[in-house]
């Protein structure tokens, strides 16, 4: 239940206007990197950029993943298990699901770009710089002179789960307009990834729909993570309707157990028959995340479950985004993984470890793992 007061709303999550202008920014080309890895002890079918015989990365860029939506500042408490009022201090961290995915892909050695809007303020420029520092193309970012960058204060329970208090009334991310879209950047993508928060209000809703249409028309694969934040919507019914309004355009969908229950009005998220109700005819892959337990996968040809990596959770913020970054980084390199169950399972093991490592540190973007860290964790014997 949300309590609204002034410019913020406060709720518990179990997991999980003024005119605008474009400001010219330095051109930042999408780039990528791969960390040098120790020789693997076992065979891992994980996709990434090839290394020629001399050990130096090839200059050819990885296929581009463009992420669309919100980017904001998370204020994460330095001590778990206290209310917002009781927290002695907060650690400032960049966040926002689509931006998290973009940085996650870059950390894993892929090429990514972010499209969205922030305020023409210190936090907005800080976020643009964080993307640049993480080798994420930020040419599609816009800055609004009349609205602030969104803020979110996050309370961490003792088990690492979260409560949020958002400041957006409205925030700049809600004000992105269709004529501010970098359509050329969108059309260059191999995968276009987005959530549902950008569908809640205009003008961002129209910009979202136009961006997805441009991507679809250009043959780009569409990836959708609804990332339900119910109190941001006018009502539960409007949230369900909004999330499902673009459901059948997506090629890849990632959802959580809670989101299945919400979208099916309380049906059992562990029942395959219930999940299959959400599998539309054009869908290539439906993923259901189950936190520490791992994930389930559904395609037209096969389905199954991949176990997760058990870790001590400090902060679950960004775990789902790290998982998405993990699987999209693999699919961007080779979409044929979708037709090979063994290769898909290997890629999902990789994605599960991405999510698990992220919950061991505070904040989303600061905690996103490198490819080296993920592969090292995959090679460790299971105790």
């Amino acid at each position: 239940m949300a309590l609204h007061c002034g410019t913020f709303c406060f709720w518990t999550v179990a997991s999980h206007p003024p005119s605008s202008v474009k400001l010219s920014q330095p051109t930042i080309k999408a780039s990528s990197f791969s960390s040098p890895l120790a020789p693997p002890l076992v065979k891992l079918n994980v996709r990434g950029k090839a290394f020629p015989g001399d050990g130096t990365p090839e200059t050819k860029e990885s296929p581009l993943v463009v992420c669309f939506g919100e980017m904001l500042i998370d204020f994460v408490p330095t001590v778990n298990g206290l209310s917002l009022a009781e927290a002695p201090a907060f650690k400032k961290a960049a966040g926002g699901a689509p931006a998290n995915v973009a940085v996650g892909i870059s950390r894993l050695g892929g090429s990514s770009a972010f499209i969205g809007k922030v305020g023409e303020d210190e936090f907005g420029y800080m976020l643009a710089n964080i993307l640049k520092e993480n080798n994420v193309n930020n040419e599609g970012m816009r800055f609004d002179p009349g609205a602030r960058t969104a803020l979110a204060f996050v309370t961490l329970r003792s088990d690492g789960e979260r409560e949020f208090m958002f400041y957006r009334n409205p925030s700049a991310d809600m004000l992105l307009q269709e004529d501010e879209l970098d359509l050329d950047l969108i059309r260059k993508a191999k995968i276009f990834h987005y959530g549902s928060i950008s569908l809640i209000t205009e003008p961002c809703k129209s910009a979202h729909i136009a961006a997805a249409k441009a991507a679809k028309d250009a043959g780009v694969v569409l990836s959708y993570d609804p990332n339900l934040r119910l109190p941001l919507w006018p009502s539960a019914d409007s949230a369900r309707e909004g999330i499902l309004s673009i459901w059948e355009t997506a090629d890849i969908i990632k959802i959580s157990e809670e989101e299945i229950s919400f979208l099916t009005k309380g049906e059992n998220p562990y029942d395959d028959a219930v999940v299959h109700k959400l599998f539309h005819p054009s869908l290539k892959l439906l993923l259901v995340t189950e936190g520490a337990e791992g994930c389930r996968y559904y395609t037209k040809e096969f389905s199954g479950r991949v176990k997760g990596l058990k870790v001590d959770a400090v902060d679950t913020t960004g775990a789902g985004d790290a998982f998405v970054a993990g699987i999209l980084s693999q699919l961007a390199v080779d979409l044929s993984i979708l037709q090979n169950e063994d290769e898909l399972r290997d890629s999902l093991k990789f994605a599960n470890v991405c999510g698990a490592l992220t919950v061991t540190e505070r904040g989303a973007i600061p905690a996103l793992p490198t490819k080296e860290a993920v592969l090292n964790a995959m090679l460790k014997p299971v105790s």
Side-chain angles (χ1 to χ4, degrees), residues 17-79:
S19 60
S20 60
V21 297
K22 294 183 186 178
L23 294 184
S24 60
Q25 292 290 301
T27 298
I28 302 163
K29 293 185 177 179
S31 59
S32 56
F33 59 89
S34 293
S35 302
L37 304 176
L41 303 178
V42 297
K43 182 180 179 183
L44 293 173
N45 292 321
V46 175
R47 297 299 194 271
K49 293 200 295 186
F51 287 77
D54 62 1
T56 58
E58 292 182 350
T59 56
K60 184 179 179 181
E61 288 188 343
S62 301
L64 180 65
V65 179
V66 173
C67 301
F68 175 93
E70 69 278 2
M71 189 173 191
L72 50 92
I73 305 288
D74 289 327
F75 286 92
V76 184
T78 56
V79 179

Side-chain angles (χ1 to χ4, degrees), residues 67-180:
C67 301
F68 175 93
E70 69 278 2
M71 189 173 191
L72 50 92
I73 305 288
D74 289 327
F75 286 92
V76 184
T78 56
V79 179
N80 286 14
L82 299 177
S83 69
L84 285 174
E86 294 169 331
F90 294 86
K91 176 185 175 183
K92 180 181 62 187
N100 293 343
V101 173
V103 173
I105 289 169
S106 182
R107 290 259 176 94
L108 295 170
S111 293
S112 62
F114 174 76
I115 292 178
K117 192 177 236 187
V118 293
E120 188 183 325
D121 52 38
E122 286 292 321
F123 284 144
Y125 290 117
M126 184 193 94
L127 293 175
N129 287 333
I130 286 173
L131 291 180
K132 179 181 177 181
E133 290 164 3
N134 282 279
N135 298 303
V136 176
N137 181 323
N138 70 3
E139 293 173 5
M141 285 190 80
R142 302 292 178 255
F143 298 80
D144 196 301
R148 295 298 191 189
T149 300
L151 308 179
F153 286 82
V154 186
T155 299
L156 300 177
R157 302 198 313 239
S158 57
D159 60 359
E161 292 297 338
R162 305 156 292 163
E163 294 176 342
F164 289 107
M165 184 168 69
F166 280 77
Y167 285 72
R168 56 198 313 260
N169 188 39
S171 53
D173 60 285
M174 302 162 67
L175 303 177
L176 181 67
Q177 300 184 54
E178 184 176 344
D179 62 6
E180 295 177 306

Side-chain angles (χ1 to χ4, degrees), residues 256-288:
S256 67
E257 305 151 286
E258 294 86 358
E259 288 163 346
I260 293 174
S261 294
F262 174 75
L263 293 174
T264 60
K265 298 185 178 181
E267 295 192 49
N268 182 3
Y270 303 101
D271 185 343
D272 280 352
V274 172
V275 177
H276 279 113
K277 293 179 182 180
L278 297 173
F279 197 99
H280 67 75
S282 300
L283 193 59
K284 294 180 174 65
L285 177 64
L286 178 63
L287 296 170
V288 180

Side-chain angles (χ1 to χ4, degrees), residues 186-343:
I186 292 169
R187 295 181 181 115
K188 291 176 186 174
K190 182 77 169 285
I191 298 174
F192 182 69
H193 176 72
Y194 48 86
S196 69
I197 291 175
S198 47
L199 293 170
I200 297 174
T201 56
E202 294 288 1
C204 191
K205 178 180 178 180
S206 292
H208 177 134
I209 293 170
K213 184 180 187 303
K216 194 77 168 180
D217 290 348
V220 179
V221 172
L222 301 189
S223 167
Y224 184 24
D225 176 3
N227 194 33
L228 176 66
R229 292 289 181 264
L230 186 55
L232 292 179
W233 293 83
S235 67
D237 286 341
S238 67
R240 192 177 294 109
E241 180 182 350
I243 288 170
L244 293 175
S245 69
I246 60 169
W247 197 262
E248 297 194 2
T249 63
D251 300 297
I252 300 164
I253 297 175
K254 173 259 173 188
I255 46 175
S256 67
E257 305 151 286
E258 294 86 358
E259 288 163 346
I260 293 174
S261 294
F262 174 75
L263 293 174
T264 60
K265 298 185 178 181
E267 295 192 49
N268 182 3
Y270 303 101
D271 185 343
D272 280 352
V274 172
V275 177
H276 279 113
K277 293 179 182 180
L278 297 173
F279 197 99
H280 67 75
S282 300
L283 193 59
K284 294 180 174 65
L285 177 64
L286 178 63
L287 296 170
V288 180
T289 53
E290 300 179 342
E293 299 304 314
C295 66
R296 282 176 280 159
Y297 59 91
Y298 301 83
T299 73
K300 290 179 181 177
E301 289 77 28
F302 45 75
S303 62
R305 173 180 269 106
V306 177
K307 290 183 179 179
L309 177 69
K310 299 297 176 65
V311 296
D312 293 326
V314 173
D315 177 9
T316 60
T317 306
D321 304 327
F323 172 88
V324 172
I327 187 61
L328 293 187
S329 72
Q330 302 297 294
L331 293 174
V333 175
D334 185 3
L335 283 171
S336 72
I337 291 171
L338 296 171
Q339 281 78 51
N340 185 313
E341 186 170 11
D342 288 340
E343 292 188 359

